[in-house]
Every structure is written in structure tokens, then in C-alpha cells.
Amino acid sequence: MSDQTPSKDPNNSTNKDKSNSDFVPTPPKSITKTVWKVFRKAKKVTSQANSIINGSVGDKFQEYSILKPLDIKMNFYHRQSPIKLHKESLRKRSNYSYNDKPVSNKICILIHGLVFNETCWQFKDRSDYGKKLEEDYGFTPFYLRYNTGLHISDNGQELAILLEELYQNYPVKIEEICFICHSMGGLLMHSAAYYAQEEGFDWVTKTKKVFLLGTPHLGSFFERFANVTTNILQRVPNWHTRLVGKVINLRSAGIKDLRYGYLREEDWKDKNPDSFLENTKNEVPKLDGVEYFIISGRLTKEETHWVNCFFGDILVSKKSANAHFIDTEEINSESDNSIQFAATHHFKLLTMDEVYEKIKFWIERK
């Protein structure tokens, strides 16, 4: 049998004689780059795990000193590190931006939902809605990270102050602010706007557009289901079931606020958070002169499917997403400012090209 060993191609660099003086070896991968990539990935995973813990039981951290190091302090983050909102720090654009364009007088605030942090916005190519808006329309993005286990009203008061600090210390006068909010993040924005108006903060007057992605304005049926379940379990004359009910009731104040979408301190203060389906929500007016845009999803392709009627995007129904948290007569109405994507679950809304195209359409619409 003849030898079937392939002949060497003289033009193939891999076949060149390494003793040849013209031979240049392929450089090895940069160890530093590899180590940095691993470190960045580990840091992201760690921060995501901590965000889950914060969202689940974050309101308990102040009661137990051993847990305080896990407490996420609300701030805007850049490259997974908090931004210093001092005038000197904000003058250096690289401290909060990914490019070296001139400082813009337009900013975009991105607010994540329950058990997430600012990394949730990232596409596979590491872009996100904020970066895209910066590239296409000159909006400088600021990504919020916060303890989602705290009451929405507590976070709302803190965010109102944080936004005012950013507004007052920004290098140029801010002329336009837009918000992109997912899930609980939309409720947090409403709460912050309410308290900012109460305090007369300036940033409210510069807010022009608010994009609400899967925001449960009427609350979440999953939290109401949890409330019903725990009430039933704790009424069963069996210590095992009562124990299960008590464990489930350890879920955070932030989660319980999602039962009906509480935005104000009066909604929950001096009230039993575990009362059976008791709705004590107070009205919160929308901001004057601000356009609100509703983006929601549904699991099914057919809008009339019974699954869509009950579950919507699996966590938020269309009725809850479209409710403008005060204009109850508009809940079932169709609007040019709302859209529902088919075959789209709650978390897919965070990283969809179709969502960004709709945001672009609304920004360009006069």
C-alpha cells in the first residue's frame, strides 16, 4: 500500500522550517488579557449573585450586622464600579462613559428590576440600549445599581436625591433626561419622580421621555399568589406547613411591594405586609409634559390566547404593564405609545434589537 501522508505545502506557514532565519513564531495569547477576562467574568457572576441575595432578603441586612457587607448601596455604575458624582470626577468623561465624545447635555438613566443589576442590559456583543442611544443620539447613559429588596418607596426617595446630585454636579447643564426602566425599575422611577416633585428637585423638569419595559403598574400576580399561599399555610393546624409559610414570608419588602405596585411610604407604613390580599396603594400622578412609552411581551404568538390573558410575559400581564398607574380608564385602551411583542418573555425585553428599534422610533417621532 502506498504511503498516503500528505505532501507539505511550501506556501503553508506551518510547514516552514523553524530553523529558517525568516521564520516568525506565532506569539502566545496574552496571559494578562486572559487573566483580566477571567477576573471580569468572576466579578460579574459575583455581583449578580449578590444582587439576587439583595432582592430576596435585602431588607434584613440592617438587622443582622454579619450581612451588612452584602448590602448594595445605590449608585450609578461604570465597568461594574460605582461612579463618584463629584464635579471633578464627572469632568473626566472616561469615569462614566465608554467613548471620548464631548460631554453631552442629554442623559439616559437605565434602571434594572428585581434581583438584577446594571449588567442585565448587556447584549451578546456587549452593547446595550444605553450605548446604542449614545452612539445614535448623543445620550450619555448612566446605569443604576441598587438593593432591590428594600421598599420601593425607600429606594425612590434615595434615587430622587441621587439624580439631583448628578444633575447639580454634571459638567454641562442637562437639557434632556430619558429613562429606560425594566420591571420594578419602572415603579422605582415613578416613586423617585413623586418624591422629587415633593422636594422641588430640578431634574424632574428636564425629564422628557420614560420607556417602561414590563413594568407591573398593577402589581404582579405571582406576589399575590405567594400572599394567598402563605396565608393558607399558616392557617393549617400543622407546624410543618406553618413553618413553610413563615419561611416564604421572609421574602423581602421589595418583593411584597410588587403585590400591588406600592410606590409611596404611606402604602405600607404601619400596616401588616402579610395581610390577605389587602390593597392600600395610594395614587401617584404622572409627570406633566413627560411622554410615557409602554413595552411589554407575551409568551404566545396569538394575542387572544388564554395564556396571554393570564400570564402575559410570564410575570407581568398586558393589563398591568399598560396601566399608567393612575389612569385606570386607559388600562384596556390601545395607544400609539404602547407595544406588545409576541413570543417574548419578561427578561428577553432587556436585550432585544426590536425593542431598541421601537425606542428609536419614539425618540425620532415629533
Side-chain angles (χ1 to χ4, degrees):
M1 182 180 290
S2 60
D3 189 357
Q4 297 297 314
T5 304
S7 60
K8 293 185 179 180
D9 181 358
N11 295 321
N12 189 335
S13 60
T14 59
N15 295 325
K16 289 183 179 179
D17 185 0
K18 294 185 180 182
S19 62
N20 192 317
S21 60
D22 294 332
F23 175 75
V24 179
T26 304
K29 288 185 177 180
S30 169
I31 297 177
T32 303
K33 186 176 181 180
T34 303
V35 170
W36 171 246
K37 186 176 180 180
V38 171
F39 171 77
R40 187 175 61 197
K41 181 69 175 177
K43 187 176 181 181
K44 181 178 179 180
V45 171
T46 302
S47 69
Q48 289 173 336
N50 191 36
S51 294
I52 293 173
I53 296 172
N54 272 252
S56 303
V57 292
D59 59 328
K60 313 292 191 301
F61 289 165
Q62 297 307 314
E63 299 176 22
Y64 305 99
S65 58
I66 194 173
L67 296 176
K68 284 185 179 180
L70 298 175
D71 189 13
I72 295 175
K73 304 300 181 185
M74 180 182 287
N75 208 335
F76 297 111
Y77 275 65
H78 177 63
R79 300 187 190 278
Q80 298 191 57
S81 297
I83 298 172
K84 295 179 181 179
L85 298 182
H86 306 145
K87 288 188 177 181
E88 281 191 27
S89 178
L90 290 173
R91 285 194 190 101
K92 188 175 181 181
R93 189 173 172 82
S94 62
N95 286 337
Y96 56 92
S97 178
Y98 290 93
N99 62 49
D100 56 357
K101 292 182 179 180
V103 176
S104 172
N105 62 0
K106 301 187 296 184
I107 66 172
C108 175
I109 309 298
L110 292 93
I111 309 177
H112 62 79
L114 179 70
V115 304
F116 278 94
N117 60 34
E118 78 289 348
T119 63
C120 69
W121 300 103
Q122 199 169 90
F123 284 56
K124 288 183 179 180
D125 63 359
R126 300 189 66 192
S127 65
D128 57 60
Y129 299 141
K131 290 178 183 177
K132 290 175 181 289
L133 284 177
E134 184 173 36
E135 184 66 31
D136 295 339
Y137 302 103
F139 283 91
T140 298
F142 285 88
Y143 304 85
L144 189 72
R145 182 188 292 190
Y146 64 101
N147 180 348
T148 58
L150 300 179
H151 279 293
I152 293 171
S153 57
D154 289 342
N155 277 327
Q157 294 175 66
E158 190 172 354
L159 177 57
I161 295 171
L162 191 71
L163 285 167
E164 186 68 8
E165 186 179 357
L166 173 62
Y167 179 84
Q168 297 298 339
N169 292 333
Y170 198 66
V172 299
K173 185 177 180 181
I174 295 175
E175 297 296 339
E176 183 177 349
I177 303 175
C178 79
F179 287 84
I180 300 180
C181 315
H182 180 251
S183 198
M184 177 190 279
L187 300 180
L188 175 55
M189 186 277 153
H190 297 324
S191 181
Y194 169 77
Y195 286 110
Q197 284 185 303
E198 292 283 300
E199 297 295 331
F201 289 157
D202 293 329
W203 67 263
V204 181
T205 62
K206 301 300 180 181
T207 301
K208 305 300 180 185
K209 289 179 170 63
V210 178
F211 301 96
L212 301 163
L213 284 56
T215 296
H217 293 104
L218 300 179
S220 170
F221 53 83
F222 269 110
E223 167 52 27
R224 290 194 287 274
F225 176 76
N227 175 248
V228 171
T229 301
T230 54
N231 270 273
I232 292 174
L233 289 174
Q234 295 198 63
R235 283 169 171 76
V236 175
N238 182 295
W239 73 268
H240 295 92
T241 55
R242 288 183 177 180
L243 179 61
V244 172
K246 288 182 178 179
V247 170
I248 297 174
N249 264 342
L250 290 176
R251 65 194 186 281
S252 68
I255 293 177
K256 292 179 181 180
D257 279 350
L258 291 175
R259 192 176 307 153
Y260 294 106
Y262 288 168
L263 305 176
R264 294 165 53 175
E265 190 175 286
E266 305 93 279
D267 296 344
W268 56 267
K269 192 171 183 180
D270 298 326
K271 298 177 178 68
N272 181 2
D274 301 316
S275 294
F276 183 74
L277 296 180
E278 182 181 2
N279 185 358
T280 55
K281 183 177 180 178
N282 291 275
E283 292 183 346
V284 170
K286 292 185 289 187
L287 294 175
D288 293 333
V290 175
E291 288 187 282
Y292 292 85
F293 303 93
I294 308 296
I295 299 174
S296 61
R298 65 172 182 265
L299 297 177
T300 60
K301 292 184 178 180
E302 302 81 17
E303 186 174 4
T304 56
H305 197 286
W306 69 269
V307 172
N308 181 47
C309 297
F310 285 97
F311 297 102
D313 65 9
I314 201 171
L315 292 179
V316 180
S317 67
K318 181 180 179 181
K319 182 177 180 181
S320 185
N322 279 12
H324 287 206
F325 61 89
I326 183 172
D327 300 331
T328 52
E329 69 275 7
E330 296 182 8
I331 288 176
N332 294 311
S333 67
E334 295 299 325
S335 168
D336 291 337
N337 285 13
S338 68
I339 186 172
Q340 186 181 50
F341 289 99
T344 301
H345 60 75
H346 188 67
F347 305 108
K348 190 177 179 181
L349 293 170
L350 288 161
T351 54
M352 285 179 62
D353 289 323
E354 296 85 351
V355 168
Y356 180 66
E357 288 302 315
K358 194 62 184 179
I359 290 174
K360 283 179 62 177
F361 171 78
W362 280 326
I363 286 178
E364 294 173 358
R365 188 181 70 183
K366 301 299 182 183

